[in-house]
């Protein structure tokens, strides 16, 4: 099973690229499902097919290719509203004012979480070999992919993981046996939600199953955003296995005239951006593919076949780079339980360049902030008994040095 998530700045062609990749995979004999979590829902237009929330065969000529739109509104009504209503009633019964209870049970991002849950279900319940996900624009996708971890941490703090612990804390407020039963049912539902979030985090973090492909047009502004996106995704341990540069202007050769001159200059600018991208991604093992500007819109499976051949040629569309893991721990001094030991934690952060980095130790976690985006990294057990002594940034690798804290170090 593989999951490919496509994202990019709005208007760069991520939906057509995702659709073309799915077509190429189906032509190779695989059973493929394409899901759109983009609120714009242009996937049906790209396939020239009527799509709904249930998987629909896109074309008779490609029997292994199915597609669907994720209906987040229906998912909220079905999966979240019943639990929210129950929690609201119980909070009101515990003395919380109705308006306050209503506000407490509003969870920003729940629609996006449920959309991701649909992706996870497809990987477990469906007959698919590959699930291709047409995500929203980059900023929305970054928020979407970081939600399971952020929301899971929120839920863990608000309601302890163990169901009986939740019941024990809340049942004292409930009073009657009927209220205790309601609290118990709500706790059970929250436990199931926590399990789903854990499953989502595991799916997104599985580097051999889930990968992200960034789609862009070779322009400096878009490339700069791609650099920032690579950094943000690396911070969240989400793996990018490829970059697609779309709409590359044809080389006019020795053609004359204003149009040929414009194309030559435009192509030269695009190739400079591609060289910069290749320099950035080669160091982290991520290939860059390109597709030429087409004379017409690639709508329908026949046109998408042409785009797929332009992108992948004879290569397997599932092939991509697998890069380096985010964290690497090494010992640089001492041995055994010596208090003279020193450890270095390397964090691979592609695209960080000489950007501003902020580090903070919060209990057993290291908070890393790059370009306004923060990620808390759970420290390996040995580092939890150490203090941070220095940090160094070199070639997209942030190296943080630790030394034992004598007060808590192993003896």
């Amino acid at each position: 099973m593989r999951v490919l998530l496509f994202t990019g700045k709005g208007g760069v062609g991520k939906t057509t690229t995702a659709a073309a990749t799915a077509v190429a995979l189906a032509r190779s004999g695989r059973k493929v499902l394409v899901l759109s979590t983009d609120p714009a829902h242009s996937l049906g237009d790209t396939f020239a097919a009527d799509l709904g929330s249930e998987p629909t065969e896109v074309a008779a000529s490609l029997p292994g290719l199915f597609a669907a739109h994720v209906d987040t509104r229906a998912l909220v009504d079905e999966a979240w509203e019943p639990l929210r209503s129950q929690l609201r009633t119980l909070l009101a019964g515990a003395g919380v004012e109705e308006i306050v209870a209503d506000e407490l049970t509003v969870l920003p991002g729940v629609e996006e979480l449920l959309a991701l849950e649909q992706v996870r279900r497809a990987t477990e319940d469906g007959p698919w070999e590959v699930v291709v996900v047409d995500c929203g624009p980059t900023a929305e996708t970054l928020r979407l992919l970081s939600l399971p971890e952020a929301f899971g941490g929120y839920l863990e703090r608000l309601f302890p993981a163990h169901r009986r612990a939740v019941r024990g804390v809340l049942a004292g407020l409930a009073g009657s046996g009927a209220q205790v039963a309601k609290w118990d049912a709500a706790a059970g539902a929250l436990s199931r939600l926590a399990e789903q979030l854990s499953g989502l985090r595991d799916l997104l973090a599985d580097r051999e199953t889930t990968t992200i492909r960034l789609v862009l047009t070779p322009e400096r502004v878009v490339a700069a955003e791609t650099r920032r996106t690579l950094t943000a995704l690396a911070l969240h341990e989400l793996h990018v296995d490829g970059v697609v540069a779309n709409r590359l202007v044809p080389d006019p050769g020795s053609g004359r005239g204003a149009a040929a001159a414009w194309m030559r200059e435009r192509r030269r600018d695009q190739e400079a951006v591609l060289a910069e991208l290749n320099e950035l991604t080669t160091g982290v093992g991520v290939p860059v593919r390109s597709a030429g500007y087409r004379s017409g819109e690639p709508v329908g499976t026949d046109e998408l076949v042409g785009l797929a051949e332009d992108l992948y040629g004879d290569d397997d569309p599932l092939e991509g780079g697998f890069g380096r893991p985010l964290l690497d721990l090494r010992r640089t001094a001492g041995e055994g339980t010596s208090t003279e030991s020193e450890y270095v934690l390397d964090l691979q952060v592609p695209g960080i360049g000489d950007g501003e980095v902020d580090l903070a130790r919060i209990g057993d976690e290291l908070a890393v902030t790059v370009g306004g985006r923060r990620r808390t990294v759970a420290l390996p057990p040995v580092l939890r008994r150490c203090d941070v002594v220095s940090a160094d940034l070199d070639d997209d690798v942030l190296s943080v040095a630790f030394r034992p804290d004598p007060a808590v170090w192993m003896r």
Side-chain angles (χ1 to χ4, degrees):
M1 165 59 68
R2 282 290 303 278
V3 179
L4 297 179
L5 298 101
F6 284 80
T7 188
K9 190 177 177 66
V12 298
K14 64 173 181 57
T15 299
T16 52
T17 304
T21 302
V23 166
L25 289 166
R27 292 182 77 209
S28 70
R30 296 177 173 100
K31 197 153 190 177
V32 184
L33 173 65
V34 193
L35 285 176
S36 172
T37 63
D38 188 344
H41 284 333
S42 56
L43 186 63
D45 299 329
T46 301
F47 280 124
D50 292 327
L51 300 181
S53 58
E54 293 297 321
T56 301
E57 190 175 58
V58 171
S61 59
L62 289 172
L65 179 60
F66 290 73
H69 290 148
V70 176
D71 187 349
T72 54
R73 186 66 262 168
L75 289 175
V76 169
D77 292 341
E78 175 189 346
W80 173 246
E81 282 302 331
L83 175 58
R84 184 186 175 204
S85 176
Q86 191 175 40
L87 288 173
R88 193 164 49 228
T89 300
L90 294 176
L91 288 171
V96 178
E97 292 184 11
E98 184 176 349
I99 294 178
V100 176
D102 191 62
E103 291 178 351
L104 286 173
T105 53
V106 173
L107 294 177
V110 70
E111 292 185 8
E112 291 91 339
L113 276 174
L114 292 172
L116 269 183
E117 174 60 14
Q118 286 296 96
V119 174
R120 188 188 69 83
R121 285 185 185 179
T123 65
E124 292 187 350
D125 301 337
W128 324 110
E129 295 173 72
V130 186
V131 176
V132 176
V133 185
D134 172 31
C135 300
T138 308
E140 294 179 16
T141 301
L142 286 172
R143 177 172 173 267
L144 172 72
L145 297 179
S146 62
L147 274 173
E149 183 174 23
F151 188 64
Y154 164 78
L155 190 64
E156 183 67 21
R157 288 174 174 82
L158 188 61
F159 297 102
H162 198 285
R163 177 179 169 179
R164 281 185 301 224
V166 177
R167 185 177 186 273
V169 170
L170 301 179
L173 301 172
S176 69
Q179 287 292 86
V180 171
K182 288 183 179 180
W183 280 118
D184 191 53
L190 288 168
S191 294
R192 289 190 293 274
L193 179 59
E195 289 173 6
Q196 290 174 347
L197 289 169
S198 177
L200 278 175
R201 290 198 299 271
D202 291 343
L203 176 66
L204 293 173
D206 186 344
R207 297 167 61 86
E208 295 189 0
T209 298
T210 304
T211 54
I212 301 167
R213 294 196 180 169
L214 300 180
V215 184
L216 56 88
T217 49
E219 301 165 0
R220 295 205 174 276
V221 172
V222 179
E225 179 176 308
T226 301
R227 176 185 288 270
R228 291 191 294 270
T229 302
L230 279 169
T231 301
L233 290 170
L235 274 178
H236 289 283
E237 293 188 80
L238 301 168
H239 179 53
V240 176
D241 77 338
V243 174
V244 175
N246 195 23
R247 299 175 187 157
L248 191 63
V249 172
D251 186 347
S254 57
R256 298 180 178 181
W262 178 88
M263 290 176 68
R264 243 188 315 272
E265 183 177 352
R266 186 82 181 97
R267 176 74 179 222
R268 189 163 47 245
D269 290 343
Q270 288 185 330
E271 286 178 345
V273 173
L274 284 175
E276 184 181 326
L277 280 172
N278 275 297
E279 183 180 356
L280 168 66
T281 59
T282 299
V284 291
V286 176
V288 178
R289 296 182 180 273
S290 61
Y293 217 131
R294 309 182 74 78
S295 58
E297 290 186 76
V299 173
T301 53
D302 291 342
E303 290 293 326
L304 291 169
V305 166
L307 177 57
E309 290 175 346
D310 197 4
L311 271 175
Y312 301 107
D314 295 329
D315 295 343
D316 185 346
L318 289 184
E319 289 181 358
F322 282 87
R324 297 173 293 189
L326 175 71
L327 302 178
D328 181 38
L329 177 62
R330 51 196 171 92
R331 187 171 193 153
T332 55
E335 58 183 27
T337 59
S338 168
T339 55
E340 300 302 314
S341 298
E342 182 173 278
Y343 300 88
V344 173
L345 185 67
D346 291 329
L347 292 88
Q348 311 285 346
V349 191
I352 193 173
D354 28 355
E356 186 175 342
V357 181
D358 181 66
L359 292 175
R361 176 73 179 271
I362 305 174
D364 292 338
E365 297 177 326
L366 185 69
V368 184
T369 305
V370 180
R373 293 190 177 275
R374 168 174 284 198
R375 167 76 198 280
T376 54
V377 177
L379 293 173
V382 67
L383 297 186
R384 296 173 190 173
R385 298 186 177 94
C386 297
D387 294 324
V388 176
V389 293
S390 66
D392 181 59
L393 180 60
D394 181 34
D395 192 24
D396 289 348
V397 178
L398 177 63
S399 299
V400 186
F402 294 79
R403 285 185 186 152
D405 178 355
V408 295
W409 187 243
M410 299 169 286
R411 299 182 184 278

